[in-house]
Amino acid sequence: MKHAYPSPRRLPASSMAFALTLLAGWPALAAEPLWPQPAGVVPAQAAQVQHPRRQRQTAPNFRAPAATVCSDTPRMREVADPQPQSPRRERAEPALAEKALHDGARLEAAPSPPAPPAPMPAAALDSVAVSGARAERLSPPRRPLPPIRRQQAPVTAGVVDDNADFGGFLQFLQGHDESARLGRDVTVRQRLRVVDAQGRVVPDAEVAVASADGARMWARTDAGGQAWLHLNAFDDRDSASYRIDVRRDGRQAQVQLRRGQKNALEVVLPVQATPERARLDLVFMVDATGSMGDEIDKLRGSLRDIVRGIEQLPSRPDVCLGLVTYRDRGDVYFVRSWDLTGNVAAFQQVLDGVRAGGGGDMPEAMNEAFDHAVQALDWRGPATTRLLLSLADAPPHMDYPQPHYDQTMLAALGKGIKVFSVAASGQDSTGEIVQRQIAQYTGGRFIFLTYKDAADPGSGPGGETVHEVSNYSVDTLDKLVVRLVREELAQLP
C-alpha cells in the first residue's frame, strides 16, 4: 500500500539565508552587543595567548567614562607599591605642597608610602579613603613651595603621525626584533568613520566589534568621527567577518565588516547635532624619576602657555586638567595622581610641587601609571574629547606583573582616550617602540624633544633627534601641543 506524502515546501531565498546565518553563528543575529558599563574600574580579563602579539579579547577591560563635571580642586591619590621594598636612598626632597591654595582650595598631600594609611573617621580633619591599593588624603593647608627658577631656553620638539605613514611605522617595528614580543599585532587595520544623515562627523560614538566566535573589541570615535580598528589585536583566529555596532544619544546602527576589504567603513548614525561648547579633558602623565628633572622643569615652565593657548582657541573649550606622576619600586612613591580639575591656578601649583627623584635602573613604573591614568581618573562622559600627554625618558618594566601597556591601550581606545606620547632625552629603542605603539593604536601622535646636537640634550634647542623618524616638523613644545589640540578640536561638528 502506497502512502501519499506531501511534497516538501521550498523556503524562500530570504528564509534560507536567515537559517544559514543562524547555523553559522553570525553575531548580527545574536543578542544585543556587549557594551561596557559606566563608572568604576574592572580588572583586565585573562587572555588566551597563542602568540606574544595575538591575544584574544572577549569582554571589556574598562568601564565607560561617566563623570559629568570635574573637580574644583585637584584630589591627590596614590597607588601603593604592590611589592614594597626597602626605599632606595634619594636626595632629600622638600615636602610636596602639590595642591593649590588658590581661592581657599584645600591642600591634599600624599599618604606616607609605601602602604596606604588606615581609614580614619570621616569627621577627622585629616581624613583618608582607601580602596584596594589606592588611597587619598585630605590635609590642612601648608605653605606653598618657593617659586622655581625656570630655564629661559625654549623646549623644541618634533612630531610624526604613524597612522598617516603606517607603512613606515610597520617598517620601524620590523627593524626591531624585540617588537615581536611587545604590544599587539596591528598589521591588519580598518578605518571606521561615523557620520549623521547630513554627512557630518559624529564624535565620541561608542563602537563594539564582534566576530562570530566571540572575539570582541571596543572603541570611541575621535573628534573627527573616526576610529582605527586593529583586528589582530583582539582576534587570534583571523575571522572572515565582524559585526559592528555603533551608538550615541540612544541611537544605534549596525554594519558588517569583511576582513581585507580595502575601502573605509562608513556608518550613518541618525543622531541630531546639538551645538555645544567643546569639552576637553587633558591629562599629563610624567615620569618623575631623577633623570627627568630637566624635562619636568621644562614642562612646568611651558604649562601656562599651553593652557592659555588652549583656552584662547576659537572653540573656547571647557578644559579639565589632570596629572599622573610615577617613579619605581623602592622609591619614595610608586604612582601618584591628581584628578581632573577645572581650576587652572590650582593645577599649576600642583605641578610646581612635583620633584624628580629616585629611579636607578632604566625601566620605570610606566605600565602601572598608564593603567591608573586610563582606568582610575574621572574622565568625563559623552561628548568629551579626551587626550593624554605622556612624557617619559625610559621604557616600562615589562618584567613586572600585569597590567602591561598593551592591555591598557585597548582600554584607552574603548574609553576614547587619545594618547600623545612624548619621548624625552635618553629614551631607548624599547621605550620608543612602546610610546609609538600606544600613540598609533589610540590615534594619537609620537612627539620627541629635539636638540641642536641630537646626542647632547644639553646642547640647547634645535631640530635634531636620535629617534628613528623622518619628515617631521619642529616647533616649541608648548606651541606644538596647542597646535595638536587645536587640530583635534577643529574636527568637531
Side-chain angles (χ1 to χ4, degrees):
M1 182 177 178
K2 294 182 179 181
H3 297 276
Y5 295 100
S7 60
R9 182 168 61 90
R10 184 178 297 275
L11 291 173
S14 59
S15 298
M16 292 181 66
F18 180 87
L20 290 174
T21 304
L22 281 177
L23 291 173
W26 174 245
L29 298 176
E32 287 298 309
L34 180 63
W35 295 104
Q37 297 300 311
V41 180
V42 280
Q45 300 292 319
Q48 302 174 5
V49 181
Q50 292 186 343
H51 185 279
R53 301 175 69 232
R54 295 291 299 274
Q55 298 185 23
R56 184 174 182 77
Q57 180 174 256
T58 59
N61 66 335
F62 66 96
R63 296 279 187 175
T68 56
V69 296
C70 50
S71 174
D72 290 334
T73 57
R75 288 184 306 153
M76 204 284 293
R77 287 188 278 189
E78 181 160 320
V79 179
D81 186 341
Q83 295 181 353
Q85 306 171 6
S86 299
R88 286 191 285 259
R89 295 185 62 184
E90 299 182 18
R91 182 181 64 180
E93 56 180 327
L96 292 174
E98 295 163 315
K99 187 70 179 82
L101 300 177
H102 181 72
D103 292 336
R106 289 180 300 178
L107 176 70
E108 300 182 6
S112 300
M120 299 174 67
L125 178 63
D126 187 12
S127 64
V128 178
V130 178
S131 176
R134 299 182 174 89
E136 52 186 74
R137 172 175 289 186
L138 309 178
S139 303
R142 300 178 185 174
R143 291 185 300 173
L145 293 173
I148 295 172
R149 184 165 55 92
R150 294 181 176 133
Q151 298 183 0
Q152 298 300 318
V155 183
T156 51
V159 60
V160 293
D161 185 348
D162 282 327
N163 278 307
D165 183 15
F166 189 58
F169 175 63
L170 294 181
Q171 288 181 356
F172 162 72
L173 294 179
Q174 292 166 2
H176 295 272
D177 292 339
E178 61 186 315
S179 68
R181 304 184 300 272
L182 294 171
R184 298 292 175 104
D185 182 353
V186 296
T187 55
V188 179
R189 67 171 188 167
Q190 182 68 45
R191 179 172 174 259
L192 174 71
R193 188 167 180 263
V194 182
V195 298
D196 65 13
Q198 288 72 42
R200 294 170 298 195
V201 300
V202 179
D204 207 31
E206 294 180 87
V207 180
V209 183
S211 70
D213 56 16
R216 299 174 184 267
M217 72 157 287
W218 294 265
R220 281 181 180 246
T221 57
D222 63 12
Q226 175 179 282
W228 289 107
L229 311 178
H230 297 85
L231 305 181
N232 288 358
F234 71 98
D235 181 13
D236 59 352
R237 301 179 186 177
D238 296 331
S239 301
S241 55
Y242 301 85
R243 161 179 163 171
I244 312 289
D245 288 274
V246 181
R247 72 175 185 179
R248 181 178 163 174
D249 299 338
R251 302 298 183 91
Q252 190 162 324
Q254 183 184 116
V255 294
Q256 295 180 5
L257 169 66
R258 297 287 175 182
R259 177 181 282 263
Q261 71 180 52
K262 300 300 182 183
N263 58 309
L265 189 65
E266 187 167 283
V267 180
V268 178
L269 195 62
V271 297
Q272 294 183 352
T274 54
E276 296 178 353
R277 182 185 179 192
R279 298 203 306 177
L280 172 66
D281 285 359
L282 176 61
V283 171
F284 297 85
M285 188 177 86
V286 181
D287 178 345
T289 53
S291 62
M292 284 289 293
D294 289 343
E295 277 71 18
I296 289 175
D297 288 342
K298 293 170 185 176
L299 177 63
R300 183 188 297 116
S302 299
L303 181 64
R304 289 189 189 277
D305 290 337
I306 291 174
V307 175
R308 185 181 301 113
I310 292 174
E311 288 182 323
Q312 293 175 352
L313 292 175
S315 57
R316 294 288 181 181
D318 170 16
V319 182
C320 289
L321 302 170
L323 175 67
V324 176
T325 64
Y326 63 95
R327 293 186 180 176
D328 202 358
R329 291 181 178 173
D331 289 335
V332 168
Y333 69 88
F334 193 56
V335 177
R336 284 177 177 164
S337 72
W338 291 260
D339 217 339
L340 291 150
T341 178
N343 189 333
V344 176
F347 182 77
Q348 179 68 48
Q349 288 206 15
V350 167
L351 193 67
D352 285 349
V354 175
R355 298 290 186 271
D361 58 349
M362 180 66 172
E364 312 296 357
M366 180 181 176
N367 280 326
E368 294 78 6
F370 184 35
D371 180 71
H372 182 76
V374 169
Q375 302 281 28
L377 297 190
D378 290 331
W379 299 88
R380 285 183 291 180
T384 301
T385 299
R386 307 172 195 88
L387 303 178
L388 175 65
L389 190 73
S390 169
L391 182 65
D393 71 345
H397 262 290
M398 299 304 294
D399 54 333
Y400 288 175
Q402 296 179 352
H404 289 162
Y405 76 91
D406 64 301
Q407 297 169 311
T408 307
M409 73 184 189
L410 268 65
L413 182 65
K415 298 183 76 165
I417 301 170
K418 182 174 288 191
V419 181
F420 293 146
S421 296
V422 184
S425 59
Q427 183 63 282
D428 65 5
S429 60
T430 301
E432 182 177 349
I433 291 170
V434 170
Q435 288 192 293
R436 291 178 72 169
Q437 283 184 339
I438 293 173
Q440 184 274 330
Y441 188 86
T442 61
R445 307 285 181 88
F446 175 58
I447 304 170
F448 42 93
L449 302 189
T450 56
Y451 308 92
K452 185 176 181 179
D453 179 357
D456 180 14
S459 61
E464 300 301 317
T465 179
V466 297
H467 296 295
E468 298 179 47
V469 292
S470 60
N471 301 321
Y472 57 87
S473 59
V474 174
D475 206 338
T476 59
L477 180 61
D478 55 344
K479 291 181 180 179
L480 179 57
V481 172
V482 172
R483 173 168 65 85
L484 293 175
V485 173
R486 181 179 67 245
E487 292 174 354
E488 189 72 18
L489 298 180
Q491 302 178 83
L492 293 170

